[in-house]
Amino acid sequence: MATKKSDFDKVLSAWDVLVIAFGAMIGWGWVVSTGDWIMEGGVLGAMLGFVIGGIMVFFVGLTYAELTSAMPQCGGEHVFSYKAMGPIGSFICTWMIVLGYVSVVCFEACALPTIVAYIYPDFLTGYMYTVAGFDIYASWLAVAILVSVFITAINIVGTKTAAILQTILTVIIGGVGILLIAASALTGTTANLEGQLFMGATTTDMVKGTLAVAVMTPFYFIGFDVIPQAAEEISVSLQKIGRILILSIVLAVLFYALIIFGVGYVMNNSEIAVAMKGVGGLVTADAMAVAFGSSIMAKVLIIGGLCGIITSWNSFLIGGSRAMYSMAESYMIPHVFAKLHDKYKTPINALLLIGLLSIIAPFFGKKMLVWVVDAGNFGCCVAYCMVAISFVILRKKAPEMARPYKVSHYKLVGVMAILMSGFMVVMYMIPGSGATLVPQEWGMVLGWSVLGVLFGFYCKAKYGSKFATHIDVAVDNEAVEEAGDLAFGQAMAAALHDVESDAPVTYVSQPLSFSFSMPVSVVFGAGKRHMAGELFRAYGTKALVVTDAATNGRDIVNEVEKSLKEAGISVSRFAHITGKSLDITADSAVDEIKKNGSDFIVAIGGNTVMEGAKLIASAAARTLGRGMMPLNFVPTTYHAGACFDASLPDGSRDNALLAKVVLVDPDCMTGMSQKDRAVSGFAALCECIRAYTAPDAQPLTDAMALYAIDILNDKLVGVCGENTDKGAWEKVVLAGVIGSMVSAETGCQVAKDLKQAVAKTSFAADEVLLAAIVPVVVDAKAGKDPFLYGKLARTMGGFTSDDCAARLCYLAKALHLDLRIADMGVHEDDIANLAEAYMGEEAAEAVREKAAAMEAAFDS
């Protein structure tokens, strides 16, 4: 699949990500609406309502966390829904979320001067006109316009600049909130809670009141979804993004719940009722004044709330502009909105448009903006529901997709997220629900929808085939970490640690020092078997062709012998190699050498034939008292480690046993069965992984191994089917040969390691076992070097080191090697023992745990 390099700068740290999301969610609502929440559900009822609402959003947030880590691309919802539902679903989902973002930005432009007027009533001067009962003043407009220009300019100058502003304001909000909570705890009394823990005369009424609060709370949590919009600008690891997104939701729930408790603990029900009827009805501000015994502190709290307006404004400007950019980049809306600022790398035209709308919005008054924001909330909920559906679709449609932050029990999470977000959408439609859209708001939703349809038709006509196209951004996330499924408490602790320790991951660079020796000439290419005589004649005039019974009946042997004879080389054939009693077989071959005066050997076949040929050469040198006969190999399987190895089955080595020429003709290997192709290919992949991760690895073997791993991961499954593409087949053969070469160079040969591992067992060293052992080994080792295994994972289509074992399991399953190994007489303890022997230094207990996990992965 085609990919592109991101055009954005990665400037957002873990802390920046947290304050952008958290600042968007806490906003201004806790200042103006706490009294309404308490009067509706009571102190404990309202707190419980926020917890219930938080759980609703939490499920949606989990889907966002997984999808954002899997597809960290600007636009978030646009990318998720495109992958799952295609262009139409993506257009609807993103267009709805844009409505939500733009509506909040416009509303905040009106809310800010309104709060200024509350603090300084004399501020309103220069009456101009009235809209829907709301008076418009020149001073009111001036403040709204100036702040709109300022925030838009901050966002154009750079995302990092906007994040710095967000940090300052969020710290102020948090500080003011903590002051209220602490002062209430010190000066409040439990007597104030009497009669207002829950509202209602009956249990049914209390439940209704609590649920009434719960229904509206999700609308106060809108903001966490800004994180995926800016995913390309985040410089932390992919798993951290998911953790921080969930953390932001949990912190918002705690913040709202504690504010409710603080107000109820310092003011009784009658005092809250009186405050509700006061100027502005700002019960939270009045509670601050009571807690500190000073009216000045009420204005301090309002200033904190004022900061909340700007944090929401700032976050949704970031989110809205990125959502528009992603649609424009796919040519769903005019492509001019996909332009980035030359210097600051921010979507300048999208920011200018939303900024212009925030300047225009105050001219229509606050009442109309309330309608707009309600319509926008509806749009956000529709988008949430579509993302939740996309989450479930992609788990079925793309199970192999790397998911650095992977949600456990995805079916439960997906269903709950769909039901919860769908419930929010329905609440806007049902009359009397308390959230029903009024006709003016439905008109705005309809108008926005019509505008989207017009954009769609216009862009389809203008851009043609480019309309609704999408290109993935290539992920380059070097700062990987040890990943794994975490319990909720562990995930929260890890997320807090992510924010606290925001230093980039660094690795010590070792000085380059290595040696590379590959004293074997490799001749590669289809049809090269017909050049055997030309290639081998430098090594003698009388050839002993060594093969086995299976290969002896194939045309390959005759074609090689014909080429040798045409080069003036006489030929005798020894076709008695078997996997048993090679020593006896070698003695028989020596007799053939004496009889025919053979002076070099040509071995045609698989590894067993190559091993037999080396034994024959060694026996002839020993028996005839002469130097080692030159060896030349024509392998008939692409996993032929014996071609590049100078050792004998007893472990002894002699460099004279290295082949002079290894003639690799992919056409000689087409007789391999589908199972042999799969088993040999997976073994070659394991050889490359062992070589790449070996202590003696070096730059040249690393480059060769990664090249081969990329080919095998991409092409192997295809060549194991009924119809094999010739080009793909040749590449797989090349990758298999590379696996044998790098394993010989680094001394990490999986066949020998496997034999050593099964030495204490009663079953044979069948290479099918590699599909069970190697993922366990990789899973146990990956966390010890996340950088090394992270790069390996990305070569195999994953993202972080956590994906290595999962990608191997997926490939084994695609190759039909994921059989229940218990059917082979291998049990869970055997896997642990095999893995322990295979990896040597690892503790048996750790391996057993990983082995059990891998078995479960195969089952699923």
Side-chain angles (χ1 to χ4, degrees), residues 771-815:
I773 300 172
V774 175
V776 177
V777 174
V778 168
D779 199 29
K781 283 189 171 184
K784 299 183 183 301
D785 194 338
F787 178 79
L788 180 73
Y789 284 87
K791 190 171 184 178
L792 176 61
R794 288 188 289 280
T795 303
M796 297 181 65
F799 288 111
T800 71
S801 58
D802 186 48
D803 298 325
C804 285
R807 294 298 302 172
L808 283 169
C809 286
Y810 172 75
L811 182 60
K813 188 172 185 178
L815 293 170

Side-chain angles (χ1 to χ4, degrees), residues 263-280:
V263 172
Y265 196 62
V266 81
M267 296 177 70
N268 60 38
N269 189 250
S270 59
E271 290 171 333
I272 291 175
V274 171
M276 289 281 292
K277 297 177 182 179
V279 179

Side-chain angles (χ1 to χ4, degrees), residues 239 243 405 484-498:
Q239 193 185 46
R243 291 176 184 170
Y405 185 97
D485 291 334
L486 297 176
F488 176 71
Q490 292 174 306
M492 290 303 100
L496 286 168
H497 180 267
D498 294 340

Side-chain angles (χ1 to χ4, degrees), residues 56 82 158 201 301 316 361 371 434 458 465 467 474 627 664 675 696 768:
M56 295 167 67
Y82 189 96
L301 185 132
F316 285 105
W371 295 337
Y458 169 78
S465 61
F467 175 75
V664 183
K675 180 181 178 181
D696 295 333
V768 172

